Amino acid sequence: MGSLLSGLITGILFGFFLQKGQALRYDRQLGMLRLKDFSILKLMVSAILVGMVGIYFFVDMGWGKLSIKPTVLGANILGGLIFGLGWGMLGYCPGTAVGATGEGRWDAFWGGVLGMLVGAGIFAEVYSFLKDGLLRWGDFGKITIPKLVGINHWIIVLIIWLAMLLTLWVIEKKEK
C-alpha cells in the first residue's frame, strides 16, 4: 500500500509541476513541436537533471535500487514512432494528456486518454505477432551508459549536466 500511496503522491506532484510549468497548454505543446517555444524542453531537461542526481543519490545511499530494463532497438523505435505520432497528431504527450484532462480539457481526454487505452488494446492484440520479431530486434540486454563506457556513474551525470546546461544556455541565447 505504501508503494501505491507514494506513486499517487508522486503523480500528483508531477501533474502539479507540469501545470505550473505550463506544459499542459496546447499552445506550448504546439510551440515545442514546431521548435518555436522551448518552455517544455527546459522544464523536462530540468526534471531529468534533478531526477538523475536524486536517483543515483538514493541508490548510492542504499535507499533505492535501479531496475534496468533491456535495451531493445526495435521496441524503442516502434514505441518512439507511436509516441511521436500521437504527440504530433494530438498536441499532447501521455503525461500532459492526463494532466490536461484533469484541467477539464476534453480534447485531451477523447483523443489522448481514450486514445492511449485503445492503443494499448491494439498493442495487446498484435503483441503475439511482434514479440519474436520486431520486439526482439537489436536486443542489447540490460545496459547503462556508465557500464557501457566503464566509468563511475557520477562522471556520466556530470557530463550530461554540463551538456544539458550548455544546451539550455544556447536555447536561451537563441530565444533572446
Side-chain angles (χ1 to χ4, degrees):
M1 186 57 114
S3 293
L4 290 175
L5 186 58
S6 85
L8 176 65
I9 292 168
T10 302
I12 290 170
L13 286 172
F14 182 67
F16 173 79
F17 288 119
L18 283 177
Q19 199 276 334
K20 285 299 177 192
Q22 300 181 351
L24 303 180
R25 291 180 41 193
Y26 178 78
D27 59 323
R28 294 281 189 197
Q29 292 283 330
L30 189 59
M32 182 64 231
L33 287 170
R34 297 179 68 211
L35 301 176
K36 294 187 181 281
D37 182 349
F38 294 98
S39 301
I40 293 174
L41 178 68
K42 291 186 255 184
L43 176 74
M44 295 311 292
V45 166
S46 300
I48 289 166
L49 293 176
V50 171
M52 183 172 30
V53 169
I55 287 168
Y56 277 115
F57 173 77
F58 283 127
V59 168
D60 285 353
M61 296 300 291
W63 300 335
K65 182 177 174 265
L66 288 178
S67 177
I68 309 296
K69 304 297 180 224
T71 298
V72 183
L73 293 182
N76 289 345
I77 291 169
L78 178 62
L81 287 171
I82 292 169
F83 179 93
L85 186 63
W87 187 20
M89 286 177 24
L90 183 63
Y92 295 106
C93 67
T96 58
V98 173
T101 298
E103 284 189 333
R105 298 210 185 104
W106 289 104
D107 61 323
F109 176 75
W110 294 112
V113 176
L114 288 182
M116 285 185 272
L117 293 173
V118 169
I122 292 169
F123 182 78
E125 289 299 316
V126 300
Y127 177 77
S128 60
F129 300 108
L130 299 174
K131 72 177 180 177
D132 293 326
L134 182 64
L135 298 182
R136 291 271 181 247
W137 176 77
D139 188 347
F140 290 98
K142 296 182 178 189
I143 60 171
T144 64
I145 295 172
K147 284 183 186 174
L148 190 64
V149 295
I151 58 176
N152 186 286
H153 55 262
W154 288 110
I155 295 171
I156 299 296
V157 168
L158 179 63
I159 292 168
I160 292 173
W161 261 78
L162 293 173
M164 290 297 104
L165 289 177
L166 178 64
T167 302
L168 291 175
W169 180 77
V170 168
I171 289 170
E172 283 292 316
K173 291 289 245 184
K174 295 260 185 211
E175 285 184 331
K176 292 179 182 179

